[in-house]
Amino acid sequence: TIKAFLPSMMARNHGHIVGIASQLGFIGAAGLVDYCCSKFAVLALVDSLRDELWISKHDGIHCTCVCPFLIDTGLFRGVTISGRNDLSVESVDEFPTIFTAIKAEHAAKSIIDGVRRNKQYITLPKLLYFGAVLKSLLPVRALNELLTFIGMHDAMKTFQGY
């Protein structure tokens, strides 16, 4: 679909392309190889396209990559992280964590706000901007230990999905 719209955007030097990726495009997860690969591909597509537009002096066309952790749509129903097997917003008491699913309405508002501000990346929740940084700074073994500690390596064992 980008190929269908990009030529007219380039002719007008105006437009905005939004790619929906995931935090799992930055850091892979056991049991989700295909999903993680597809989200990494979205990140690479948006980054590469942004570079091509910059080099070709199409500075009126913006690219944003959305990288949520989990949006409460039911797609990952049954996933267990940090001992919690219900990550939906309704299941959280007064102390939500960064592993709580984000309401779709909140995600939509954050995405619209980010696009209006021409943000290159929108990470939900914002605290997870550090995910890519951690991957870059930590040795692989340390990252694996951290992911094991928070329960990411076992998360898909209880997956039910739609």
Side-chain angles (χ1 to χ4, degrees):
T1 55
I2 292 174
K3 284 186 177 184
F5 294 100
L6 190 57
S8 64
M9 288 181 180
M10 291 173 78
R12 294 178 293 131
N13 193 29
H14 183 76
H16 205 118
I17 294 168
V18 179
I20 306 295
S22 169
Q23 281 296 304
L24 296 178
F26 290 116
I27 297 175
L32 287 167
V33 172
D34 50 351
Y35 182 83
C36 294
C37 288
S38 69
K39 298 308 178 179
F40 179 78
V42 173
L43 281 161
L45 172 77
V46 174
D47 284 350
S48 299
L49 184 57
R50 183 184 305 109
D51 284 351
E52 285 190 16
L53 291 167
W54 183 76
I55 288 169
S56 65
K57 308 229 185 298
H58 288 94
D59 57 354
I61 304 171
H62 303 280
C63 296
T64 298
C65 196
V66 181
C67 304
F69 172 69
L70 183 64
I71 299 176
D72 194 5
T73 63
L75 179 64
F76 286 102
R77 191 183 47 181
V79 169
T80 303
I81 300 176
S82 292
R84 293 185 47 216
N85 62 3
D86 185 357
L87 302 175
S88 66
V89 175
E90 289 74 24
S91 74
V92 178
D93 56 19
E94 58 196 79
F95 300 108
T97 71
I98 61 170
F99 303 115
T100 302
I102 298 159
K103 286 188 178 186
E105 296 81 15
H106 173 71
K109 287 178 184 177
S110 296
I111 293 167
I112 290 168
D113 178 63
V115 168
R116 286 182 175 152
R117 293 173 35 207
N118 294 324
K119 291 185 75 177
Q120 292 182 7
Y121 298 97
I122 300 169
T123 300
L124 302 168
K126 290 181 182 179
L127 180 62
L128 290 178
Y129 271 110
F130 296 108
V133 174
L134 281 176
K135 181 180 178 182
S136 299
L137 295 177
L138 291 178
V140 172
R141 183 171 177 163
L143 183 61
N144 280 333
E145 292 293 337
L146 175 63
L147 293 175
T148 298
F149 176 76
I150 63 175
M152 284 300 294
H153 287 147
D154 294 325
M156 292 303 291
K157 289 182 178 176
T158 55
F159 174 67
Q160 299 165 3
Y162 280 115

